[in-house]
Amino acid sequence: MKDRIKEGMEVVGADGVHVGSVDRVEGERIKLKKSDSYGRHEGHHHFIELGFVAGVEGSKVRLSANADIAVTLEEEPSGKPVNL
């Protein structure tokens, strides 16, 4: 399924609510465009694990969780290195 997810595709929750648009797939995560994501925080990319993808239907990526839950599953890299 990973190879079917393309830039610009709409990502929707199981409830059909818009979550964001695909920027690209990085590893096992979908990177959403900064400028178009549900509940976005300015200046941050959001990522959704591919494990939450229920299917690809036409030009939409449908998640297994509703949009309001999906945004709580998103990851935001801090961009700060961890010093041990």
Side-chain angles (χ1 to χ4, degrees):
M1 184 175 330
K2 178 178 174 177
D3 58 329
R4 295 178 54 204
I5 300 172
K6 307 293 181 200
E7 180 181 351
M9 293 180 89
E10 181 182 15
V11 179
V12 296
D15 52 0
V17 175
H18 179 84
V19 173
S21 297
V22 175
D23 187 358
R24 64 179 166 262
V25 175
E26 290 185 354
E28 295 300 311
R29 304 183 305 170
I30 297 172
K31 182 177 186 178
L32 299 178
K33 293 182 184 242
K34 283 186 198 180
S35 61
D36 180 29
S37 62
Y38 180 93
R40 73 175 180 217
H41 302 154
E42 292 295 332
H44 295 293
H45 279 286
H46 291 249
F47 295 82
I48 296 178
E49 293 290 330
L50 288 174
F52 293 110
V53 175
V56 177
E57 304 164 358
S59 63
K60 291 185 181 184
V61 177
R62 185 167 300 277
L63 303 176
S64 58
N66 288 345
D68 60 341
I69 301 299
V71 295
T72 66
L73 303 173
E74 292 179 349
E75 299 177 1
E76 290 185 42
S78 67
K80 295 179 183 176
V82 175
N83 295 321
L84 299 176

